[in-house]
């Protein structure tokens, strides 16, 4: 097998690339480096700089490297930005996916793994979200992920392609400091950034119908997520047919206030959070059932929230030494 990982120099993609290489898989990466970092890639992994929207480049890469499976992570992923720029998100996320699937089908590749999101569910009124929970996304980003799943399954049926869609919950942590998230878009680095600048962490809304009034989320360590990709890739390589869609989470809820408190403990900076108005598109609670992933992939999350925060903090300090308090 030779796996092409689109977006493989990004925060999640680099973890997937490293996990697959560590287990002996042959990997190459396509990334436009708009959010990716070349140095994150394992030694010896080829990097092609380009976009999934470039059909001719895709055809060339798939043929030259004799690709036999694709892991598609490249996408725009900021919920708020998607509300402001919906056409951009549809063009990038769905246009890129359609172009890639055309090239994959033409090349005769029969294994395709798609990076989806818990954003497809929207705001379900359930304790645990299963794969059968109705999907009613609340943002253009979530819509592109749900439509992307439809497109992946349709292409799979049309071309005899085995497919897996992984619905990520909230990703945090780092397998090594140099692989840490360098963006300030997810909640953990957002809090780190505020503390580093001497500002109070922000909590968006404390009047949700949850135990402490703040949103409850299922946080998954990025190293666990990478191992879920490896398990899914091996299922595809092992001759699986049809399509599979699974949640990737821990099945445990943590409120934003609880997370901010834990970050204060880990960083040694317990500056009290300030509460600001709710953000559009934020569901009160989103916690996964991971039973199907365990049953179908033999995968289960192994790392806890403290591990996520501690490893993310070490990565933050690598890039922001001014944040160190000792």
């Amino acid at each position: 097998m030779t796996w092409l990982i689109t977006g493989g120099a990004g925060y999640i993609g680099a973890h997937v690339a490293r996990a697959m290489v560590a287990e002996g898989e042959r990997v190459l990466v396509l990334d436009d480096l708009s959010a990716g970092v070349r140095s994150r890639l394992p030694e010896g992994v080829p990097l092609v700089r380009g976009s999934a929207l470039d059909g001719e480049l895709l055809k060339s890469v798939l043929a030259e490297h004799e690709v036999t499976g694709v892991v598609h992570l490249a996408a725009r992923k900021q919920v708020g930005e998607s509300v402001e720029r919906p056409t951009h998100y549809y063009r990038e996320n769905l246009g890129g996916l359609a172009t890639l699937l055309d090239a994959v089908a033409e090349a005769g590749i029969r294994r395709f793994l798609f990076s989806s999101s818990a954003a497809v569910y929207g705001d379900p009124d359930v304790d645990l979200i299963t794969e059968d929970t109705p999907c009613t996304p609340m943002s253009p980003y979530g819509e592109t992920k749900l439509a992307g799943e439809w497109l992946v399954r349709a292409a799979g049926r049309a071309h005899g392609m085995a497919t897996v869609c992984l619905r990520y919950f909230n990703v945090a942590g780092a397998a090594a400091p140099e692989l840490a998230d360098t963006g300030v878009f997810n909640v953990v680095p957002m809090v780190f950034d505020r503390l580093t600048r001497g500002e109070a962490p922000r909590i968006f809304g404390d009047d949700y119908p949850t135990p402490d009034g703040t949103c409850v989320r299922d946080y998954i360590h990025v190293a666990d997520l990478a191992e879920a990709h490896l398990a899914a890739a091996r299922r595809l390589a092992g001759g699986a047919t049809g399509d599979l869609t699974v949640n990737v989470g821990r099945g445990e809820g943590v409120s934003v206030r609880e997370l901010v408190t834990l970050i204060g403990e880990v960083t040694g900076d317990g500056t009290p959070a300030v509460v600001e108005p709710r953000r559009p598109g934020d569901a009160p609670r989103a916690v996964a059932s991971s039973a199907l992933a365990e049953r179908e992939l033999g995968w289960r999350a192994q790392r806890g929230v403290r591990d996520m925060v501690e490893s993310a903090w070490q990565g933050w300090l690598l890039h922001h030494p001014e944040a160190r308090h000792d």
Side-chain angles (χ1 to χ4, degrees), residues 53-317:
L53 286 160
D54 188 339
E56 292 305 312
L57 174 63
L58 292 173
K59 292 175 187 177
S60 171
V61 168
L62 296 176
E64 178 184 346
H65 294 273
E66 299 180 341
V67 171
T68 50
V70 173
V71 180
H72 181 49
L73 293 100
R76 303 300 170 191
K77 62 175 186 175
Q78 302 309 319
V79 169
E81 183 185 48
S82 79
V83 174
E84 297 167 0
R85 304 182 66 193
T87 56
H88 178 65
Y89 268 65
Y90 271 81
R91 185 181 306 112
E92 291 282 324
N93 291 1
L94 284 178
L97 175 59
T99 303
L100 176 60
L101 285 167
D102 278 342
V104 165
E106 185 176 318
I109 295 167
R110 296 293 177 258
R111 302 170 185 90
F112 195 93
L113 173 53
F114 177 59
S115 162
S116 189
S117 168
V120 301
Y121 293 114
D123 181 15
D125 185 18
V126 294
D127 286 337
L128 285 180
I129 297 172
T130 74
E131 291 78 4
D132 294 326
T133 299
C135 292
T136 55
M138 298 170 64
S139 68
Y141 166 70
E143 292 165 3
T144 65
K145 285 300 184 181
L146 181 57
E149 291 185 7
W150 296 341
L151 183 53
V152 166
R153 295 185 201 113
R157 290 190 297 270
H159 303 293
M161 190 187 303
T163 65
V164 175
C165 298
L166 298 181
R167 292 174 174 169
Y168 307 171
F169 280 67
N170 294 69
V171 186
E178 64 272 17
L179 296 184
D181 192 355
T182 54
V184 188
F185 305 109
N186 298 322
V187 61
V188 173
M190 284 173 67
V191 175
F192 290 165
D193 180 59
R194 298 281 293 187
L195 294 177
T196 299
R197 291 189 283 118
E199 299 175 2
R202 295 184 294 179
I203 292 176
F204 296 100
D206 66 349
D207 58 349
Y208 287 96
T210 60
D212 66 13
T214 68
C215 292
V216 172
R217 294 290 181 264
D218 188 335
Y219 295 95
I220 175 90
H221 197 297
V222 66
D224 281 327
L225 178 62
E227 289 165 8
H229 283 77
L230 178 62
R234 290 198 159 161
R235 173 192 170 93
L236 291 170
T241 58
D243 62 84
L244 175 68
T245 299
V246 297
N247 292 333
V248 185
R250 292 173 57 246
E252 298 179 17
V254 178
S255 78
V256 173
R257 190 174 293 282
E258 288 172 332
L259 182 66
V260 170
T261 299
L262 177 58
I263 291 172
E265 293 174 8
V266 169
T267 62
D269 186 339
T271 302
V274 296
V275 177
E276 299 193 357
R278 294 184 181 191
R279 296 181 301 186
D282 276 347
R285 176 181 170 88
V287 180
S289 166
S290 58
L292 187 63
E294 187 168 358
R295 186 163 69 247
E296 294 291 337
L297 301 178
W299 171 89
R300 186 174 184 177
Q302 301 297 319
R303 300 161 180 88
V305 178
R306 182 173 286 274
D307 289 342
M308 299 177 214
V309 173
E310 289 177 346
S311 61
W313 180 237
Q314 291 306 309
W316 182 266
L317 290 175

